[in-house]
Amino acid sequence: QVQLVESGGGLVQAGGSLRLSCAASGRTGSSYCMGWFRQAPGKEREFVSAINWSGSIKRYAASVKGRFTISGDNAKSTVYLQMNSLKPEDTAVYYCAAVLYDGVRYTAHEYPYWGQGTQVTVSS
């Protein structure tokens, strides 16, 4: 199995930036899709971004496109989410997830491996 550990969450003012990291361990290989999801209080978990293992495919939710950037470092088995121009609406618990798929997946139920989540709070 794969274990995922997120880090980098915190409190930031609107317009600021944070970079989330997700370190993967276990039986990692060359065909994992890595995704970021978030869940705000009272709302469903929603897709934020995803990247395939090679990094050739990157996808973003419309709400974050142009502000967030996903990237990966295969040597470190780590995926990053650079979040710029943060808005209060971005406040949520952010989760990284992984699925054995040589492409990208967009829905939470397709991901069997999840991190514990990291809180991102954006103040106005």
Side-chain angles (χ1 to χ4, degrees):
Q1 71 280 0
V2 177
Q3 293 80 47
L4 306 174
V5 179
E6 301 105 328
S7 62
L11 175 64
V12 64
Q13 293 186 350
S17 299
L18 285 173
R19 188 171 84 155
L20 306 183
S21 299
C22 177
S25 62
R27 302 295 295 181
T28 57
S30 60
S31 298
Y32 280 92
C33 169
M34 302 292 292
W36 286 98
F37 294 79
R38 66 186 183 186
Q39 188 165 24
K43 297 184 178 180
E44 296 183 6
R45 189 167 299 187
E46 66 173 351
F47 171 80
V48 176
S49 186
I51 185 172
N52 69 333
W53 195 245
S54 70
S56 62
I57 305 173
K58 299 177 181 179
R59 297 289 183 266
Y60 302 91
S63 59
V64 307
K65 192 172 184 179
R67 300 187 297 120
F68 292 10
T69 303
I70 191 169
S71 62
D73 185 340
N74 288 346
K76 297 181 179 179
S77 296
T78 300
V79 65
Y80 305 95
L81 185 68
Q82 179 67 46
M83 305 186 295
N84 298 327
S85 302
L86 283 162
K87 305 174 181 179
E89 304 88 84
D90 296 317
T91 296
V93 177
Y94 283 70
Y95 299 88
C96 66
V99 55
L100 185 61
Y101 181 67
D102 195 16
V104 295
R105 301 288 195 187
Y106 301 93
T107 58
H109 74 267
E110 295 176 298
Y111 288 79
Y113 306 110
W114 292 84
Q116 80 286 352
T118 184
Q119 177 70 46
V120 172
T121 302
V122 184
S123 61
S124 60

